[in-house]
């Protein structure tokens, strides 16, 4: 048995060398798709069709940019006006040259808008060399809660549903709202448990699982990656659970 | 019968863009390219529930795709990450509801009866391979699958797993060594029937 060096391993993993039994094993694992593996396509496409309009995000961003531009113009104009005002001493100009904010709604967006595009976590574009996976950052990104999202009673309903049957809950049309409220998918469960817990609702066996009550602090985490070490799931516990499961399932 | 999907990675990257702006055919192409790999990866995480978890994964992908940026490589990694999270969720959920354990028999349900005998043979070796890989320690199995089946490089796989690329390489390396040990020495020539060293698998799982 020749010792498999790191170098060999890499060649094999990269697919540059698939000779021998090991190569055959990996080839078999990565063999082309079988029809049975493509089931569910229709459902997925339906979900795709039903997904919030794909143009939404870009247009929102566009809007945001537009607002920024407008705000900048407004500020510029105001500044101009203010300047003019202070120099010509027009009434109304005094007192507020420095605070276009006084203009209320109009100029107000100025200080805020710049943050908006940042929040829309359209995953940062990965530079090609930087590998592709960057987009994950987006996954945990915090979407600003949007108006018109489920709240109050409906939120609790969704939560109950989620705790009961996460899959079912995700199928709900307004489920994304719940996720947004929770901050991220990973946090939905806790969010719900807390929500239902404080409402004196019949929680769903919360607390049964101590692990859930002491997850590593999940600060909105470096959304560097949802799978990062900060994530609740990557703790040793999550992992143990998995291996326990799969061991149980597969290992004789 | 070799993998090359109808599209190259470049074409699939274009599909990612098109799908982001709502192109259904593009999305379908992505699904077809990624789903089988994803399913195999998930099988190692959640066994017979892989299909359920995969469909949850795709629902999320469908929903969040508009916010995704990246090429096809990135997309695969993204899909794997989502899938992994869904799998972890699933496992946690299962544990908190011990009422619904997954009986071993369900494993056999995973393999939908296939159309032809030839396909069944194919299926067997792929399944056997996956089962063998799944018997590795979890981190090794995941590293191997992400590299080989999902087709990610060490760095991307590391992102999925929340590990450094070096850790992924080590895990994958160890996994391969262990697999090689189980497979026994190469007879130099590639065996006709690639797989299944006697005793490597427990019969009940071999589907």
């Amino acid at each position: 048995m020749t010792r498999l060096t790191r170098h060999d391993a890499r060649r094999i993993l990269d697919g540059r060398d698939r000779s021998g039994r090991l190569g055959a094993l990996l080839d078999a694992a990565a063999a082309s798709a079988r029809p049975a593996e493509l089931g569910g396509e229709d459902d997925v496409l339906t979900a795709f069709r039903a997904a919030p309009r794909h143009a939404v995000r870009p247009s929102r961003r566009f809007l945001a940019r537009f607002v920024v531009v407008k705000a900048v113009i407004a500020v510029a104009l105001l500044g101009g006006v203010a300047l003019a005002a202070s120099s010509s001493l027009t009434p109304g100009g005094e007192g507020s040259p420095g605070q276009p904010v006084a203009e209320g709604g109009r100029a107000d967006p100025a200080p805020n808008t710049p943050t908006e595009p940042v929040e829309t976590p359209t995953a940062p574009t990965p530079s090609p060399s930087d590998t592709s996976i960057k987009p994950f950052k987006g996954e945990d990104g915090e979407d600003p809660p949007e108006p018109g999202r489920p709240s109050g009673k409906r939120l609790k309903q969704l939560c109950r549903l989620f705790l009961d049957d996460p899959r079912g809950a995700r199928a709900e049309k307004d489920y994304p709202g719940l996720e947004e409220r929770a901050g991220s998918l990973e946090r939905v469960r806790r969010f719900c448990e807390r929500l239902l817990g404080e409402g004196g609702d019949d929680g769903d066996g919360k607390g049964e699982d101590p692990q859930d009550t002491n997850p590593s602090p999940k600060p909105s985490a470096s959304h560097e990656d949802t799978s990062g070490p900060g994530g609740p799931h990557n703790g040793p516990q999550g992992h143990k659970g998995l291996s326990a499961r799969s061991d149980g399932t597969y290992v004789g | 019968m070799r993998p090359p999907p109808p599209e190259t990675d470049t074409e699939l990257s274009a599909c990612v863009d098109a799908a982001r702006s709502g192109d259904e055919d593009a999305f379908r192409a992505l699904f077809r390219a990624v789903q089988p790999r994803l399913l195999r990866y998930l099988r190692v995480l959640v066994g017979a529930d892989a299909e359920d978890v995969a469909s949850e994964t795709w629902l999320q992908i469908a929903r969040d795709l508009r916010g995704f940026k990246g090429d096809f490589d990135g997309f695969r990694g993204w899909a794997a990450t989502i899938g992994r999270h869904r799998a972890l969720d699933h496992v946690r959920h299962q544990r908190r509801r011990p009422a619904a354990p997954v009986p071993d028999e369900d494993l056999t349900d995973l393999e939908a009866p296939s159309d032809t005998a030839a396909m069944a043979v194919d299926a067997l070796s792929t399944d056997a391979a996956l089962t063998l890989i799944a018997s590795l320690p979890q981190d090794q199995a995941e590293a191997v699958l992400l590299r080989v089946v999902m087709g990610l490089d060490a760095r991307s796989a590391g992102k999925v797993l929340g590990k450094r690329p070096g850790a992924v390489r080590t895990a994958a390396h160890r996994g391969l060594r262990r697999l090689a040990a189980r497979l026994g020495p190469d007879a130099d020539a590639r065996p006709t029937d690639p797989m299944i060293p006697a005793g490597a698998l427990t019969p009940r799982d071999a589907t």
Side-chain angles (χ1 to χ4, degrees), chain A residues 70-82 85 91-111:
Chain A
K70 253 171 88 176
V72 167
I73 293 174
V75 169
L77 282 178
L78 277 173
V81 167
E94 58 197 24
S96 57
Q99 14 178 299
V101 186
E103 274 305 281
R106 247 203 180 258
D108 212 83

Side-chain angles (χ1 to χ4, degrees), chain B residues 43-108:
Chain B
R43 257 191 76 184
V44 169
L45 300 183
V46 297
D49 295 334
E51 287 191 31
D52 287 345
V53 174
S55 66
E56 283 177 34
T57 304
W58 282 101
L59 292 189
Q60 188 180 338
I61 291 173
R63 205 190 61 217
D64 296 348
L65 183 61
R66 60 190 175 155
F68 170 85
K69 271 196 186 170
D71 58 8
F72 180 60
D73 266 351
F75 180 80
R76 274 185 309 203
W78 184 54
T81 302
I82 295 176
R84 186 167 195 270
H85 287 157
R86 297 286 64 78
L88 289 161
D89 264 3
H90 181 83
V91 169
R92 294 169 76 221
H93 186 67
Q94 294 287 92
R95 268 186 300 159
R96 83 180 14 236
R97 311 195 143 249
V102 184
D104 277 354
E105 301 87 86
D106 280 7
L107 268 181
T108 50

Side-chain angles (χ1 to χ4, degrees), chain A residues 31 167 204 212 226-227, chain B residues 40 56 78 85 92 97 159:
Chain A
R167 243 168 287 160
D204 170 83
D212 250 25
T226 46
S227 46
Chain B
R40 292 175 194 181
E56 283 177 34
W78 184 54
H85 287 157
R92 294 169 76 221
R97 311 195 143 249
K159 292 217 175 187

